[in-house]
Amino acid sequence: MFTAILVSGLVAGLIGAMIGVGGGVILIPLLTQVVGVPIRAAIGASIVAVIATSSASAINYVGNELTNIRLGMTLELATTIGAVMGGITAAYLGKEALSGLFALAMLPTIISLWRKKEEDPPSGLAVTEAVGRLDSKYYDPKLQQEIGYRVRRLPLGMGISFLAGNISGLLGIGGGAIKVPAMTLGMGVPMKAAAATSNFMIGVTAVASAYIYYSRGDVDPLVAVPTAVGVTIGALLGSRIGPRLRTHQLIRFFTIVLAVMCVQMALSAVGISIR
Amino acid sequence: MQSTQAPAQHAHLLNRLIQWTLVSGLTLSMLLMTTGVVLYAMKPADGVATALPPRAILEGIGAGSPIAFMLLGILVLMVTPALRVAVAAVGYVLERDWLFALVSAGVMVVLLISLAVGAA
């Protein structure tokens, strides 16, 4: 059991970093559907693992200034409030309801992976001077130019961040699949900066519900520790080899795997289990 | 010229401090968790405990309990992002950036509320 959990963490971290999704969305179906961990313990372990991957992503942001810390901190006001409420609500839901909600929460990830292009062009507005307090710029080495952007529609971003935090607290996932489109499509933040800022926010968001899970006894160390160690090692490996192996076919393949897991989660919501 | 350069340097320093906080918290946590796993592999007979308060965990560390090492690793991991918010709050105060000092303090308050909710 211990080894199977460690391997699940490794696999989730590796694939997550390679295809660019948070570990939780792969991890929880693996733990519940393949290893047979009860969903409550899987969510408790995932919320801890998610903090580890968010902290690990800080290793990569030396000097690139992709992470918009001011924007992240502002949106965290909304994600943490949402997460506390999600963490409280989770106690009142049965395992069927949690599985069903999880299947629903997987849909944005599956849809965005399916529509992913080979390389996303930067969608930022060309700004020469930063005007607002949340505006930022970063250097894109591939395009060899500085990409500046203005942050728009903050209230919309706060609203969606609240929802993302709520889902994170309820289901033990990062919620990047909801925050990133909100930032790129809604707020005018370029893709790369949005992804980095989302990763930055995930740790604090997860902490807001993790302590609630911990004190309720839903963080079983024999599940959470192998998961967190596995996911961290997997994510660090994945971020090294990921860029070289990331192909359209690979993303398609794992999108289909996730879709199958999503169906399994939906089926266990109505009491049917296929393992 | 100097007036525009100084804040940029401060911001860069603050980013490095935030990064350092996250990476060292993660490293310490991973070391504690791995120690717990190794000890557990040597003597797995230790009873499993969840939701231990910090004092009981520290007593367990003294007794060489594998579960106590694992739980301390989890707690260190959970404290790290909160510490990052505190570092940012102090940094913004030193920069006299009152708006973002207030925003960081607000996030800190929500995290404290979650502690209170957990304890209830």
Side-chain angles (χ1 to χ4, degrees):
Chain A
M1 186 83 161
F2 197 86
T3 317
I5 295 170
L6 186 74
V7 172
S8 301
L10 258 172
V11 170
L14 191 66
I15 297 173
M18 273 164 61
I19 64 173
V21 302
V25 126
I26 307 168
L27 182 71
I28 292 177
L30 263 183
L31 286 179
T32 57
Q33 308 295 324
V34 180
V35 186
V37 173
I39 188 157
R40 221 167 261 289
I43 290 175
S46 177
I47 201 76
V48 172
V50 154
I51 302 172
T53 46
S54 174
S55 295
S57 72
I59 294 169
N60 297 321
Y61 65 69
V62 217
N64 66 12
E65 311 296 329
L66 271 180
T67 309
N68 186 335
I69 292 182
R70 284 197 161 89
L71 175 64
M73 203 69 99
T74 308
L75 294 179
E76 275 166 9
L77 271 177
T79 61
T80 49
I81 294 172
V84 170
M85 294 171 78
I88 297 170
T89 316
Y92 299 100
L93 296 176
K95 61 178 198 293
E96 288 82 10
L98 287 173
S99 303
L101 285 172
F102 199 90
L104 279 178
M106 288 177 81
L107 292 177
T109 304
I110 293 170
I111 293 166
S112 69
L113 277 176
W114 193 256
R115 295 171 62 183
K116 206 168 201 164
K117 308 280 188 311
E118 294 282 343
E119 184 70 45
D120 294 293
S123 53
L125 304 170
V127 191
T128 39
E129 70 234 77
V131 204
R133 308 293 308 276
L134 294 173
D135 299 346
S136 186
K137 57 182 192 286
Y138 66 90
Y139 182 75
D140 191 318
K142 228 172 222 170
L143 299 167
Q144 297 192 323
Q145 72 179 80
E146 204 152 66
I147 310 288
Y149 56 94
R150 272 184 198 163
V151 174
R152 293 171 292 149
R153 299 196 200 96
L154 186 63
L156 172 83
M158 293 292 269
I160 298 177
S161 295
F162 172 81
L163 186 74
N166 204 226
I167 292 168
S168 166
L170 192 61
L171 302 171
I173 57 178
I178 303 163
K179 272 179 298 182
V180 172
M183 279 191 263
T184 54
L185 303 175
M187 304 178 77
V189 179
M191 184 65 197
K192 282 183 179 173
T197 306
S198 168
N199 278 341
F200 177 74
M201 289 160 64
I202 281 171
V204 168
T205 309
V207 165
S209 66
Y211 189 71
I212 300 176
Y213 279 95
Y214 180 86
S215 50
R216 209 158 50 207
D218 284 338
V219 178
D220 180 342
L222 291 183
V223 182
V225 167
T227 303
V229 173
V231 165
T232 306
I233 297 170
L236 290 176
L237 282 176
S239 64
R240 288 283 158 82
I241 60 172
R244 267 171 283 158
L245 289 180
R246 189 180 301 161
T247 61
H248 197 58
Q249 285 83 353
L250 186 89
I251 292 178
R252 271 287 142 97
F253 172 74
F254 284 117
T255 310
I256 294 166
V257 173
L258 272 181
V260 172
M261 286 171 156
C262 177
V263 172
Q264 279 187 313
M265 293 300 283
L267 285 175
S268 48
V270 292
I272 305 166
S273 142
I274 22 168
R275 282 225 256 140
Chain B
M1 196 61 202
Q2 259 188 340
S3 60
T4 53
Q5 256 177 359
Q9 269 176 357
H10 271 158
H12 186 68
L13 186 69
L14 184 58
N15 289 5
R16 292 301 292 264
L17 257 177
I18 288 175
Q19 181 189 29
W20 184 85
T21 308
L22 291 172
V23 175
S24 42
L26 176 71
T27 310
L28 178 62
S29 158
M30 285 295 136
L31 283 175
L32 288 164
M33 287 184 179
T34 314
T35 307
V37 171
V38 171
L39 288 175
Y40 185 75
M42 294 193 302
K43 49 163 191 175
D46 193 20
V48 179
T50 57
L52 280 187
R55 181 186 290 248
I57 292 176
L58 291 179
E59 281 167 9
I61 296 284
S65 148
I67 300 294
F69 274 95
M70 292 185 196
L71 289 176
L72 188 62
I74 291 173
L75 286 190
V76 168
L77 196 60
M78 296 201 302
V79 165
T80 302
L83 210 59
R84 174 276 262 180
V85 177
V87 165
V90 172
Y92 288 134
V93 167
L94 292 179
E95 281 177 27
R96 298 179 181 279
D97 189 339
W98 306 117
L99 177 62
F100 286 97
L102 195 70
V103 168
S104 315
V107 174
M108 211 61 214
V109 168
V110 181
L111 293 183
L112 290 174
I113 291 173
S114 87
L115 280 183
V117 169

